[in-house]
Amino acid sequence: MQVSQQIVGQFRRKRLLIASIVAALVLILTLTFRFVEEKGRIEQQSRNFANNAIQRFDRMFSPLDVSASNTLGLVGVRCSTVRFPLVEKLATLQTVRAVLLVDNDRIYCSSIYGERNIPFSTTYPELAVNNQRMLLSVDNYLLKGSPVLLFWTPRSMDNRAGILQVINIEMMSNYLLEPTLPWVERAVFNVGGQSLEYGNPMIEAVHPSEDEVGYQQSSLRYPFSITLFGPAPSRLALMTLPSQLPLALLLSLLMGYIIWLATANRMSLSWQISYGLSAQEFMVYCQPLISARTGSCEGIELLLRWHNPRQGWIPPDVFIPMAERQNLIAPLTRFVISETVRHLPTLPACPTFHIAINVAASHFRDRAIIDDLQRLWWPANPKPQLVVELTERDALPVVDQRVVSHLHKIGVKLAIDDFGTGHSSLSYLKTLSPDVLKIDKIFTAAIGTDAINATVTDMVISLAQRLNISLVAEGVETAEQALYLRERGVDTLQGYFYARPMPLGEFPGWLTRHQPTMDA
């Protein structure tokens, strides 16, 4: 029972381990998925912010571009003539501080100051020489020191004539670049190598701090870009994981419980037995039956052994009771019969040689054992005497006692295994008319040590002799036990003293080497 509990405990521990691993993996994968999803969402939010800002700036610059193109015809006209049209144009453009006309590489007219005489290429070489259309600069005339954006629209390819609009970029940036926390902490408007950050009136280069990352997006229509600074998306995503933990934990526990239920059958001894049969993990062993009178081998008892690659050798007293409870004992018995038939050519072909097969009481129901013998055993035309050993883990139903009578009619002997233990009783001697009684090894082990069990052994021997029933003593391990049983008339001895259980294929070799001895 202790070994059985250990095996069952091993299966439960494996089930628990698998369920725990699955639950942990689900937890990790769920949190990882939420982390990746949140990180992607934050990155997308930054991209959306930059794209929206660029679209808004593009929409602000587009009417200025159109207005400048429509006003190019005024370039070259005297300032006194065009100044008021420029003022009217300026009134419709709220973001423009001033409009300057350039001709022959000189700024000759201002919508605010009127006539001017300022060299264009010297003052703004970036526009005149480097062919830039935009330039971040500082207003030195109207609001001194304030940042402005110069928007240049040339009339000629040599940049010596055109319209220069002075745009209030600080107002635009404060309106269009307001950061969206937490993923955008700083937003910067870039033109050329100059930058204007939201909330900072200074035009200067900007850099991310130690815990910030940058993202930049450029306009496809105008020569400017937007740079965003903020916490790393992975850091922000990590900060959201604690809020995701309860749901992820609930999901992992649910999956672990589902796995626990799903492995209830597969990770059980009964499922392992079924799988073991199909995977040929079971082997048929045999133990010689020795004549107490002559010392010669007069038969074998077939024993089933199971080597589970996952658990090692599993004792019969562990898997046989489980197989009986799960209605798997009949398939195991059929396997034993089939393997025995396969080895029949190597076994002694004489009627005096006995082959004993253990059969559970449940196998007697509905003539199942009769049908199996007719299908598997008799077609092989066996010569040895077949002995069916009735195991006593389950009581034999009265209705199936007719099967016993049929076994006697077809020449099969019946033995009651482990007599005196389990459900066996004296009534079986009358109702079943057994040919053989097998004395359980606990009584054999008591010889010379336990007076009470030794007395019971003597009573069983005397009873069998009075009823003319053959006796087989199991568990003979010493010469003293063998002598004691032989002196009391026990017919057959079985135990480690003569031979340990061996694979059925090794029995012919053992039989050749066996020398009958009566010294024991």
Side-chain angles (χ1 to χ4, degrees):
M1 182 61 69
Q2 185 177 2
V3 176
S4 177
Q5 291 176 347
Q6 290 177 353
I7 296 292
V8 173
Q10 289 177 3
F11 281 116
R12 287 179 178 173
R13 286 192 292 273
K14 284 188 176 181
R15 287 177 61 199
L16 181 60
L17 178 62
I18 292 175
S20 300
I21 291 175
V22 171
L25 286 176
V26 170
L27 179 63
I28 294 172
L29 290 176
T30 302
L31 292 178
T32 301
F33 174 77
R34 293 296 301 142
F35 170 79
V36 173
E37 185 180 46
E38 185 65 19
K39 180 173 176 288
R41 189 185 70 83
I42 293 172
E43 291 174 345
Q44 186 60 44
Q45 292 283 2
S46 299
R47 287 192 292 268
N48 290 343
F49 182 94
N51 290 333
N52 292 336
I54 287 175
Q55 290 177 8
R56 289 193 292 266
F57 273 107
D58 285 347
R59 285 196 296 268
M60 295 287 287
F61 292 143
S62 181
L64 303 184
D65 199 4
V66 173
S67 175
S69 298
N70 294 336
T71 312
L72 284 175
L74 300 180
V75 175
V77 180
R78 294 180 56 182
C79 185
S80 58
T81 304
V82 300
R83 182 181 177 189
F84 288 105
L86 290 180
V87 172
E88 291 178 355
K89 182 72 68 173
L90 188 64
T92 62
L93 304 173
Q94 298 179 358
T95 58
V96 178
R97 289 188 184 180
V99 178
L100 307 177
L101 299 182
V102 179
D103 191 28
N104 294 323
D105 196 31
R106 301 192 68 80
I107 302 174
Y108 76 92
C109 185
S110 167
S111 61
I112 297 177
Y113 297 105
E115 293 188 7
R116 309 290 285 172
N117 187 17
I118 303 173
F120 178 63
S121 59
T122 304
T123 308
Y124 304 110
E126 296 86 350
L127 303 177
V129 179
N130 297 337
N131 292 319
Q132 293 182 202
R133 289 200 63 194
M134 288 184 175
L135 175 66
L136 276 176
S137 183
V138 176
D139 189 349
N140 295 319
Y141 301 101
L142 187 59
L143 297 176
K144 294 186 177 182
S146 64
V148 292
L149 175 68
L150 302 181
F151 190 4
W152 168 239
T153 305
R155 190 180 70 172
S156 59
M157 297 295 294
D158 57 3
N159 286 323
R160 294 178 61 83
I163 294 178
L164 184 63
Q165 300 179 80
V166 182
I167 301 171
N168 188 359
I169 190 63
E170 183 178 15
M171 181 187 72
M172 292 179 63
S173 64
N174 288 342
Y175 174 67
L176 300 178
L177 290 182
E178 183 177 0
T180 304
L181 299 175
W183 49 83
V184 177
E185 292 181 337
R186 299 163 57 198
V188 181
F189 180 83
N190 308 294
V191 174
Q194 302 295 325
S195 299
L196 178 66
E197 183 177 350
Y198 172 88
N200 182 9
M202 303 293 294
I203 297 176
E204 58 186 1
V206 293
H207 304 282
S209 60
E210 292 183 359
D211 59 344
E212 286 182 332
V213 295
Y215 173 77
Q216 184 167 309
Q217 181 76 17
S218 299
S219 170
L220 299 178
R221 295 181 59 186
Y222 299 101
F224 73 92
S225 63
I226 301 295
T227 301
L228 307 178
F229 295 110
S234 56
R235 181 160 66 90
L236 288 177
L238 228 95
M239 294 170 61
T240 66
L241 286 187
S243 63
Q244 306 294 332
L245 186 59
L247 181 60
L249 189 60
L250 181 62
L251 182 61
S252 66
L253 291 176
L254 178 60
M255 288 301 300
Y257 181 66
I258 291 174
I259 295 299
W260 171 264
L261 295 179
T263 56
N265 290 328
R266 189 175 181 88
M267 296 297 294
S268 66
L269 193 57
S270 59
W271 185 91
Q272 296 285 332
I273 292 173
S274 298
Y275 178 79
L277 271 173
S278 61
Q280 299 181 344
E281 296 175 358
F282 287 92
M283 291 168 282
V284 176
Y285 275 51
C286 68
Q287 189 171 30
L289 302 173
I290 306 301
S291 171
R293 184 174 55 84
T294 65
S296 61
C297 179
E298 60 180 22
I300 55 174
E301 179 186 1
L302 300 178
L303 305 169
L304 191 60
R305 295 293 183 263
W306 183 17
H307 183 264
N308 186 323
R310 300 161 294 281
Q311 300 290 330
W313 289 97
I314 298 181
D317 57 354
V318 173
F319 71 83
I320 292 296
M322 177 63 71
E324 291 179 351
R325 287 195 295 270
Q326 299 296 328
N327 296 322
L328 294 171
I329 194 64
L332 291 176
T333 304
R334 295 186 191 105
F335 171 77
V336 173
I337 296 174
S338 299
E339 285 295 293
T340 306
V341 169
R342 190 167 66 87
H343 286 85
L344 273 178
T346 64
L347 300 177
C350 58
T352 58
F353 187 80
H354 296 76
I355 298 179
I357 300 177
N358 290 283
V359 178
S362 59
H363 205 162
F364 281 69
R365 297 189 182 99
D366 300 324
R367 294 173 48 89
I369 185 60
I370 300 294
D371 295 337
D372 289 338
L373 290 177
Q374 290 178 343
R375 183 169 54 88
L376 301 173
W377 179 256
W378 298 119
N381 193 23
K383 296 296 187 294
Q385 171 68 56
L386 180 63
V387 180
V388 171
E389 293 188 5
L390 175 61
T391 57
E392 292 307 315
R393 294 180 180 89
D394 295 315
L396 185 65
V398 176
V399 67
D400 291 329
Q401 292 169 9
R402 292 174 298 179
V403 178
V404 177
S405 299
H406 190 89
L407 288 174
H408 283 131
K409 289 179 182 179
I410 61 177
V412 178
K413 289 187 176 182
L414 179 67
I416 297 181
D417 195 16
D418 302 336
F419 185 77
T421 63
H423 293 274
S424 62
S425 65
L426 294 176
S427 64
Y428 278 16
L429 302 181
K430 177 181 178 181
T431 57
L432 301 181
S433 300
D435 302 287
V436 180
L437 288 184
K438 299 196 71 173
I439 301 174
D440 189 80
K441 58 187 177 182
I442 63 172
F443 298 112
T444 303
I447 295 174
T449 59
D450 188 337
I452 294 178
N453 277 332
T455 301
V456 173
T457 304
D458 291 341
M459 291 174 61
V460 172
I461 294 173
S462 177
L463 178 63
Q465 290 172 346
R466 286 177 179 272
L467 296 176
N468 196 26
I469 300 175
S470 298
L471 281 169
V472 177
E474 297 180 312
V476 179
E477 297 185 359
T478 65
E480 178 187 5
Q481 294 170 350
L483 179 60
Y484 181 92
L485 294 167
R486 184 167 55 248
E487 287 178 348
R488 281 156 180 76
V490 175
D491 304 289
T492 306
L493 306 177
Q494 175 184 356
Y496 290 175
F497 181 69
Y498 298 102
R500 289 180 173 271
M502 66 192 75
L504 187 55
E506 296 179 6
F507 174 72
W510 177 90
L511 185 60
T512 302
R513 297 188 301 270
H514 175 66
Q515 296 295 329
T517 176
M518 296 302 296
D519 295 338

